[in-house]
Amino acid sequence: MTNPSLLILPGDGIGPEVMTEVRKVIDWFGQRRGLAFDVEEDLVGGASWDAHGTPLTDAAMARAQAVDAVLLGAVGGPKYDDLDFADKPERGLLRLRKEMDLFANLRPAQCFDALADFSSLKREVVAGLDIMIVRELTSGIYFGEPRGIHSEGNERVGINTQRYTESEIIRVCRAAFELARKRSGKVCSMEKANVMESGILWREVAQTLRDAEYPDIELSHMYADNGAMQLVRWPKQFDVIVTDNLFGDILSDCAAMLTGSLGMLPSASLGAPMANGRPKALYEPVHGSAPDIAGQGKANPVACILSFAMALRYSFDARDDAARLERAIDTVLADGVRTADLMQSGDGTPASTAQMGDAVIRALEASL
Ligand code: IPM
Ligand code: MG
């Protein structure tokens, strides 16, 4: 048997330094848990543009299609602000999502107990929070045609199109319902059926699928603006939220901040099963490339390490080891190890990116 394969795309900004810590964790599982991976590395985003003049080469795209899972750091930075739209670092990420057809983006928002005071909301509102946003990732206004900037008379018009087919709605709702079956069985679907036809269709199709195949799921519907308000009012009313690409982009940032630190949150982007039964998959932290602190050893590697935990769970069926890694992070936080993003002024000296990674390895060792 050959080892499962992983393609690592560290990307830009803090991506490479957090990925160095993930490599330690991957190596640990290989050495200590018999879970060895064949790891390859390539470029994405600005790093790829610098080397090859494109945010993702065809060769890197082909490698991403061939491996069992992709692990991505972050893309983007001010250096690339003036590039043409098609050359921007983000286009590399969007191409991966689109060509791998990663339609279901899982974004958990979990509040670690040791960090409940970091939220901008009161402790009782966020303590114990554990919700999952399922964002549609390959369609909607991000990719809809027509799009562009045109001239009309003596001025310009910017156009984007929100477009969803029934099958696109069905497959992402199915992913949400299946996930909910392993959780509380509760799903809230969010759209703007009050003003958008795509929202009317979304609501109807979600409900029809629930009635036909998922009678055990408790499905509710909410307008996305109300959803944003309810997320900051009383987030614990939700378990699984399913929504489109743009609303999911916004609502997941909002949900992420509830937990206190963007440096803590992972994500999984999943597509259809491949020939080997594993889903097409890309794992990445929710945070961006944080160019302001890049290269200084200040970044928190936890979100990226937790993204690898999601890979263990969703791609490699290693649930116990995923839980082991998540518990190790819990332990490290409970022990008071903090990168700078998890400290208030006057809290003492923060742990560096590498020290945080090393603390996770020690907690993993202690878990054996
Ligand atoms: C995200 C990001 C991306 C998006 C950007 C970097 C293209 O904000 O993953 O949420 O808008 O989807
Ligand atoms: Mg976003």
Side-chain angles (χ1 to χ4, degrees):
M1 282 254 313
T2 54
N3 295 328
S5 53
L6 271 178
L7 174 65
I8 292 192
L9 301 172
D12 307 325
I14 60 171
E17 54 201 288
V18 297
M19 206 54 94
T20 300
E21 304 313 306
V22 180
R23 287 298 282 262
K24 292 181 188 166
V25 172
I26 295 171
D27 290 345
W28 186 88
F29 277 92
Q31 284 154 16
R32 306 291 279 159
R33 297 288 306 152
L35 268 172
F37 293 92
D38 290 337
V39 182
E40 329 167 23
E41 213 173 291
D42 214 320
L43 301 172
V44 69
S48 173
W49 194 85
D50 288 340
H52 303 298
T54 168
L56 188 74
T57 61
D58 292 341
M61 185 68 238
R63 288 172 101 175
Q65 293 283 19
V67 292
D68 291 313
V70 180
L71 204 55
L72 186 140
V75 293
K79 183 177 161 194
Y80 309 104
D81 279 353
D82 295 330
L83 289 182
D84 283 347
F85 193 64
D87 291 333
K88 285 204 189 292
E90 291 78 5
R91 300 313 299 177
L93 176 57
L94 293 171
R95 180 175 177 200
L96 284 162
R97 290 173 178 173
K98 188 66 179 174
E99 291 192 21
M100 293 171 75
D101 203 14
L102 305 171
F103 60 85
N105 181 213
L106 279 44
R107 299 193 162 185
Q110 242 175 314
C111 185
F112 288 81
D113 213 45
L115 301 179
D117 292 321
F118 281 85
S119 176
S120 48
L121 301 187
K122 296 190 191 81
R123 172 175 263 276
E124 68 260 29
V125 178
V126 295
L129 181 72
D130 176 12
I131 60 184
M132 177 73 88
I133 298 195
V134 181
R135 165 189 176 192
E136 200 292 323
L137 202 60
T138 52
S139 184
I141 203 159
Y142 271 59
F143 298 99
E145 301 280 346
R147 65 186 298 160
I149 301 175
H150 306 293
S151 292
E152 236 179 71
N154 53 9
E155 62 174 353
R156 293 181 304 155
V157 200
I159 298 174
N160 291 92
T161 302
Q162 166 86 334
R163 179 179 188 276
Y164 272 107
T165 64
E166 290 181 296
S167 52
E168 286 169 342
I169 301 169
I170 288 172
R171 64 184 189 170
V172 72
C173 287
R174 189 182 293 287
F177 295 162
E178 292 290 339
L179 254 177
R181 275 190 172 156
K182 298 187 192 127
R183 299 170 56 105
S184 73
K186 240 174 60 176
V187 177
C188 182
S189 167
M190 296 186 187
E191 26 56 15
K192 287 277 290 174
N194 51 347
V195 289
M196 296 165 73
E197 283 78 2
S198 59
I200 297 177
L201 186 72
W202 183 286
R203 186 175 286 222
E204 277 176 22
V205 169
Q207 189 63 49
T208 305
L209 178 68
R210 140 64 183 69
D211 295 347
E213 293 182 45
Y214 296 90
D216 52 314
I217 296 292
E218 188 190 316
L219 174 66
S220 59
H221 305 274
M222 202 178 266
Y223 298 141
D225 54 342
N226 183 27
M229 188 270 276
Q230 295 295 338
L231 266 175
V232 289
R233 190 185 69 82
W234 189 246
K236 287 186 233 176
Q237 69 187 283
F238 299 114
D239 186 29
V240 175
I241 293 172
V242 64
T243 188
D244 76 16
N245 203 344
L246 182 61
F247 294 140
D249 181 43
I250 297 166
L251 293 169
S252 65
D253 262 22
C254 177
M257 204 54 221
L258 297 175
T259 69
S261 172
L262 277 177
M264 301 293 298
L265 294 175
S267 79
S269 303
L270 306 177
M274 299 183 281
N276 62 13
R278 296 190 171 109
K280 279 257 181 231
L282 179 146
Y283 300 88
E284 57 175 320
V286 168
H287 64 67
S289 60
D292 51 319
I293 59 162
Q296 301 170 36
K298 289 183 182 168
N300 183 352
V302 167
C304 206
I305 294 174
L306 285 171
S307 300
F308 176 64
M310 288 189 92
L312 289 174
R313 176 170 291 118
Y314 293 107
S315 281
F316 303 112
D317 223 16
R319 279 157 226 232
D320 293 347
D321 282 301
R324 178 189 298 278
L325 180 49
E326 287 158 356
R327 277 197 308 273
I329 305 263
D330 250 336
T331 308
V332 165
L333 294 173
D335 287 349
V337 184
R338 299 274 190 276
T339 41
D341 56 309
L342 305 178
M343 298 184 85
Q344 273 137 358
S345 53
D347 266 357
T349 315
S352 68
T353 309
Q355 284 167 338
M356 181 59 109
D358 293 341
V360 173
I361 299 293
R362 278 197 300 279
L364 283 170
E365 254 328 290
S367 77
L368 291 177

